[in-house]
DNA sequence: GTTAGCACTCAACACGCCTAAGTGCCAAGT
DNA sequence: ACTTGGCACTTAGGCGTGTTGAGTGCTAAC
């Protein structure tokens, strides 16, 4: 009952099962992998592994499949990361470098990752905490309605419509814009509210109402930032793995659509040493994802925003993890450059 | 073989089948609907309907189900639009009126429509042809990289990054912005390229390269407009109707993700007298949607942008059509107001 | 600690049978 | 000229039965 061989058996089970979707038995195992022992020995090992809760048998006399715990051990201790192929790397670079817009970059990223992994890919908008104010703009849309635009150093443009006193004139807006911009230009986004508070306090009484409304909008834009949005692609890949989800893929689709769920999930994932974080099956806080795994990692400044994929627990972890890591790396590089 | 009764039979078949998902037979029909005749007579009628290709029998001796052609006739000649319930109407109004941003409005709209119809809802960004230029802005992000922002009268903000000569300074940008804005302020978006062409021609030679690059970006923003984007919600609803899609929902998800496909589809749909346009099953140009129906209608200025839903051919057309129409109507109203 | 052998279990498949629902058609009725 | 009751016919689907094959656990020998 040597420890190393037991792990080797677990690895073989995981790999075969991921490959074939069928419970794998002792005999098939010794045939496909050259472990130097007979099927009976493997059977003993498998009994042990089952006792430890790493594998399980769907019914009395059938092969074993890995449990969540088994996958976890596999990911943590056994799997070695497979590097991407050279063509894949080239494809990543080519695709991402030809993008200009932030939206464009993220859009290409998810599509690429979805195609690379054959899973659903998600990417969170990059964290703007490190960015600062480049520009603000007030545009009078209609009496009492002003479009507030905030442009930050990383190229993100955010807008919001504010309600203001009905009689507001263009020149009032220009004046306020000048005042505000003087205060917050170059200021880090998280610090914007304080600066604005100081500024509005100094305003002449006639401008107070207008100023407060506009400042409020700016605070909203700078605070509750775009980082709370995600982009996704590859939902069609779920359909192919429909057999891996017990009843339907409904709950999974629901989770994906509820951005709040995905955002919490992503933010909870801390990356470990390898730089990629994995949530397997029921490790997952959300019930609808009990049969799903999420692989994600941070990217961009301080790696605060996340990019990753979601798929069935039965997935090729090493390859997928490599793809996620590679894409995140390129993505960070692109964002640094611009 | 009275014509009106045959249509009545078709209606009954469609309604029962939509309700039960099971082929409906002659006997069940006379029991559930009080047609004044016996099952034998119905059988004769059904034989006729089958000859006309309006219904079909899955196997030799089983009830009939409507064909695409049958649904078509049902929609065109038989169905009467069911008005929405008062609570539903109230919900629509409440939800949409509390939105401010254009993005926000569209987002709420699709979610609402998806929930109302239990199908996948899609909405196309409103056509900006009628809008005109409110403002433009150039922001120097990094040496050689300028963020070009175009704000139009309907509150849409669009941005793009342009590559410019490396040595470009802030004051050059300010100068060009002033020149451009003078020319295009208030101009309809489609006319922007001509105005800009005239303007760049007059530039001093030293500004030509920079001017052309910026003008090009502005043209892109004004021309290939946001109308070529769609927002969607309710994909999880597809999972529930998984039984209505023959093999998998894969092709449908693919179509939904390929915005190009959906955009072409929507743009090809002309609304008929009722104000709602319907594509049933194979009427649909895209193969992956052979078992799906699309219900859409225009909204906004000139009803050029589309809002609608996608679901299995076996759906409750009257109710769904009513929901689409109602939502489009409210949506138009909201956009008019802002 | 490993292995061969053996009895045992159980899903999956195939077969045959039966029933219920439904059809088409015909001859009689209005 | 329709409508109707009756009847023979078709077929999917449910149900029990038997068979097969992959796989297990255990024991005794190596």
């Amino acid at each position: 009952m040597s420890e190393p061989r037991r792990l080797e058996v677990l690895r073989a089970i995981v790999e075969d099962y991921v490959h074939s979707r069928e419970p794998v038995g002792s005999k098939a195992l010794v045939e496909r992998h050259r472990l130097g022992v007979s099927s009976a020995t493997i059977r003993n090992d498998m009994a042990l592994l089952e006792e430890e809760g790493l594998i399980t048998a769907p019914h009395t006399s059938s092969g074993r499949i890995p449990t969540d715990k088994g996958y976890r051990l596999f990911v943590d201790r056994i799997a070695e990361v497979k590097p991407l192929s050279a063509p894949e790397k080239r494809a990543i670079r080519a695709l991402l470098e030809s993008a200009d817009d932030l939206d464009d970059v993220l859009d290409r990223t998810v599509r690429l990752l979805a195609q690379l992994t054959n899973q659903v890919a998600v990417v969170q908008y990059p964290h703007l905490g490190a960015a600062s104010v480049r520009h603000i703009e007030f545009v009078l849309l209609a009496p009492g309605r002003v479009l507030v635009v905030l442009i930050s150093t990383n190229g993100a443009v955010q807008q919001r419509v504010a309600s203001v006193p009905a009689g507001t004139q263009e020149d009032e807006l220009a004046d306020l814009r000048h005042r505000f911009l003087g205060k917050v230009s170059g200021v880090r986004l998280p610090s914007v509210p304080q600066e604005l508070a100081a500024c509005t306090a100094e305003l002449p009484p006639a401008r107070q109402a207008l100023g407060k409304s506009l400042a409020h909008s700016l605070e909203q834009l700078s605070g509750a930032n775009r980082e709370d949005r995600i982009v996704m692609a590859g939902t069609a890949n779920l359909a192919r793995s429909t057999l891996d989800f017990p009843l339907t893929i409904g709950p999974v689709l629901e989770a994906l659509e509820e951005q709040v769920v995905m955002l919490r999930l992503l933010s909870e994932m801390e990356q470990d040493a390898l730089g990629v974080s994995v949530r397997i099956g029921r490790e997952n806080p959300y019930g609808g994802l009990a049969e799903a795994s999420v692989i994600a990692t941070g990217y961009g400044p301080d790696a605060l925003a996340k990019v990753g994929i979601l798929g069935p627990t039965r997935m090729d972890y090493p390859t997928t993890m490599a793809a996620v890591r590679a894409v995140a790396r390129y993505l960070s590089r692109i964002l640094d450059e611009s």
Side-chain angles (χ1 to χ4, degrees), chain A:
Chain A
M1 58 167 75
S2 71
E3 171 89 10
R5 194 190 55 220
R6 272 222 311 283
L7 287 186
E8 199 55 34
V9 170
L10 176 57
R11 152 197 250 130
I13 291 174
V14 170
E15 282 174 2
D16 278 19
Y17 179 64
V18 164
H19 180 256
S20 72
R21 187 188 276 112
E22 255 150 42
V24 19
S26 54
K27 200 175 163 193
L29 219 47
V30 297
E31 278 168 15
R32 293 181 38 106
H33 303 73
R34 43 190 77 187
L35 317 155
V37 294
S38 83
S39 67
T41 310
I42 300 299
R43 278 205 286 285
N44 290 333
D45 288 344
M46 285 165 97
L48 260 305
L49 287 171
E50 184 159 20
E51 234 171 63
E52 299 179 54
L54 297 170
I55 57 177
T56 185
H59 50 256
T60 312
S61 123
S62 180
R64 312 302 222 289
I65 63 176
T67 60
D68 288 357
K69 198 176 161 194
Y71 281 124
R72 164 57 58 197
L73 188 63
F74 175 80
V75 168
D76 286 348
R77 299 198 33 204
I78 308 178
E80 53 216 18
V81 185
K82 292 187 193 168
L84 293 199
S85 72
E88 282 174 325
K89 285 187 188 171
R90 243 179 297 136
I92 297 179
R93 210 166 333 135
L95 194 62
L96 290 186
E97 281 179 358
S98 59
D100 42 18
D101 201 344
L102 174 64
D103 286 323
D104 197 21
V105 171
L106 296 186
D107 194 55
R108 282 166 189 257
T109 303
V110 274
R111 284 173 189 265
L112 175 67
L113 192 52
Q115 206 195 330
L116 229 44
T117 61
N118 275 317
Q119 310 288 2
V120 183
V122 295
V123 60
Q124 185 181 5
Y125 264 79
H127 200 284
L128 301 184
S132 47
V133 176
R134 163 81 65 178
H135 218 77
I136 59 182
E137 198 69 45
F138 300 138
V139 181
L140 192 57
L141 292 177
R145 294 178 76 82
V146 170
L147 183 70
V148 179
V149 182
L150 174 71
I151 303 175
S152 36
T153 43
N154 64 348
V157 178
Q158 297 173 93
Q159 79 249 40
R160 196 164 189 281
V161 175
S163 292
V164 297
T168 306
Q169 297 300 315
E170 294 271 9
D171 56 345
E172 294 179 88
L173 290 176
D175 172 50
L176 278 170
R177 170 169 166 270
H178 195 74
R179 288 173 190 256
F180 284 164
L181 193 52
K183 275 286 182 193
V184 301
S185 180
V187 166
R188 296 273 158 130
L189 292 188
S191 315
V192 165
Q194 307 150 33
E195 297 290 334
L196 286 181
C199 190
T200 48
E202 298 169 6
L203 288 176
R207 294 275 156 87
Q208 282 285 347
L210 176 57
K212 274 194 182 141
S213 170
L214 295 176
H216 177 72
S217 287
L218 284 173
E219 283 163 22
Q220 293 272 321
L221 291 180
S222 64
N225 238 322
R226 281 223 286 189
E227 81 215 35
D228 55 358
R229 276 183 50 199
I230 57 177
V231 188
M232 112 184 63
T235 36
N237 290 327
L238 276 183
R240 205 177 349 80
S241 29
T242 193
L243 293 171
D244 288 313
F245 290 105
L247 302 99
T248 75
I249 59 177
V252 181
L253 280 172
E254 276 170 26
L256 282 171
E257 231 175 62
E258 268 315 312
Q259 304 219 339
V260 191
V261 172
M262 290 306 294
L263 282 167
R264 222 190 57 200
L265 193 58
L266 288 177
S267 71
E268 279 176 6
M269 297 181 68
E270 290 299 323
Q271 45 245 356
D272 60 8
L274 279 159
V276 195
S277 170
V278 184
R279 280 284 174 93
I280 298 165
R282 291 179 203 288
E283 290 175 9
N284 219 303
Y286 180 70
L289 300 181
E291 309 284 333
S293 285
V294 181
I295 299 181
T297 188
Y299 75 94
D302 301 326
L304 274 171
K306 298 292 198 319
V307 56
I309 63 92
L310 182 153
T313 41
R314 174 190 154 276
M315 77 163 77
D316 180 350
Y317 289 93
T319 312
T320 313
M321 287 165 74
V324 170
R325 201 176 56 167
V327 168
R329 202 167 283 177
Y330 279 105
L331 185 54
S332 292
R333 195 185 303 170
I334 297 286
L335 291 184
D336 268 357
E337 283 172 9
S338 67

